């Protein structure tokens, strides 16, 4: 039930789980026909599985999380994990005015050798402030337009179209 804070407004919280260490070792041992042994043997096997990246026995445990993250983070997370996802729908709910704004220290230029990432080099303070001003201004304008469309009676499924990927 403990929330672990992530980014500026997000969190991750374990809600429920099914299975555990015993289930993992049973799944691993099924391949050679032996059942669960001692607790110490189980620990050694789990360490071995992790160290050698034998991950399929871990798939027999199910974890359920409650997460709050910007849409752009969710898309990358889902892309790299197998998961069943339920999320707040802008078709049924009015979306909150909560968008991710990076800390000023994270405003960097594009990396010259990593097309997917930013450079380690600092950018001038004036540029960092400009970037944050633009991000916050645009987020505010788009959310104001969203609320205007809702107030005009436009369907939520249409009003949400321009909401930013930074929305939580």
């Amino acid at each position: 039930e403990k929330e672990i804070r992530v980014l500026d407004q997000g969190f991750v919280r374990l809600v429920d789980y099914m299975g555990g260490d015993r289930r993992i070792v049973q799944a691993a041992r099924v391949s050679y026909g032996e059942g669960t042994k001692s607790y110490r043997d189980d620990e050694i096997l789990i360490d071995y599985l992790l160290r050698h990246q034998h991950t399929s026995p871990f798939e027999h445990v199910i974890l359920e999380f409650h997460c709050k993250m910007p849409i752009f983070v969710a898309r990358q997370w889902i892309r790299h994990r197998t998961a069943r996802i339920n999320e707040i729908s802008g078709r049924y709910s009015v979306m909150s005015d909560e968008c991710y704004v990076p800390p000023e220290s994270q405003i960097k230029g594009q990396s010259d050798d990593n097309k997917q990432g930013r450079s380690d080099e600092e950018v001038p303070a004036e540029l960092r402030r400009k970037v944050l001003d633009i991000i916050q201004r645009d987020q505010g304008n788009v959310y104001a337009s969203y609320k205007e469309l809702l107030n005009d009676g436009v369907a939520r499924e249409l009003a949400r179209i321009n909401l930013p990927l930074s929305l939580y």
Side-chain angles (χ1 to χ4, degrees):
E1 294 290 324
K2 181 184 175 198
E3 264 185 24
I4 298 170
R5 303 298 300 171
V6 180
L7 300 175
D8 56 346
Q9 300 174 62
F11 63 82
V12 175
R13 179 173 61 87
L14 179 65
V15 174
D16 202 359
Y17 66 93
M18 184 173 75
D21 290 355
R22 188 166 173 200
R23 184 71 204 108
I24 293 165
V25 295
Q26 287 173 333
R29 290 190 176 117
V30 91
S31 62
Y32 55 90
E34 294 185 39
T36 302
K37 296 181 177 184
S38 72
Y39 178 76
R40 179 72 183 130
D41 290 338
D42 291 352
E43 282 185 326
I44 291 168
L45 177 55
I46 288 173
D47 287 344
Y48 176 86
L49 293 169
L50 284 170
R51 201 171 41 256
H52 292 90
Q53 299 181 349
H54 296 297
T55 57
S56 63
F58 295 95
E59 295 171 15
H60 292 264
V61 174
I62 296 172
L63 304 170
E64 182 179 340
F65 294 99
H66 179 197
C67 305
K68 180 179 178 183
M69 67 191 88
I71 295 169
F72 72 92
V73 173
R75 296 302 171 256
Q76 284 299 306
W77 189 44
I78 292 166
R79 177 180 157 333
H80 292 289
R81 303 289 182 263
T82 302
R84 291 182 289 244
I85 304 295
N86 286 339
E87 62 184 4
I88 293 174
S89 172
R91 291 181 70 194
Y92 307 117
S93 303
V94 173
M95 302 306 289
S96 297
D97 186 11
E98 295 180 295
C99 292
Y100 173 70
V101 177
E104 185 174 335
S105 63
Q106 294 298 311
I107 307 297
K108 311 270 180 149
Q110 179 63 45
S111 172
D112 291 330
D113 58 353
N114 178 358
K115 293 181 182 180
Q116 298 177 28
R118 62 192 116 178
S119 170
D120 290 331
E121 295 179 30
E122 295 292 322
V123 296
E126 182 179 300
L127 178 56
R128 291 193 308 266
R129 284 190 295 278
K130 177 183 176 182
V131 168
L132 290 174
D133 288 346
I134 289 171
I135 288 172
Q136 290 172 320
R137 181 190 68 220
D138 287 352
Q139 288 172 345
N141 288 341
V142 170
Y143 192 80
S145 296
Y146 166 71
K147 291 294 285 187
E148 181 179 345
L149 293 173
L150 292 176
N151 290 337
D152 287 343
V154 173
R156 288 183 296 268
E157 67 179 289
L158 296 174
R160 69 184 174 152
I161 288 173
N162 284 346
L163 289 173
L165 290 175
S166 58
L167 189 74
Y168 276 89

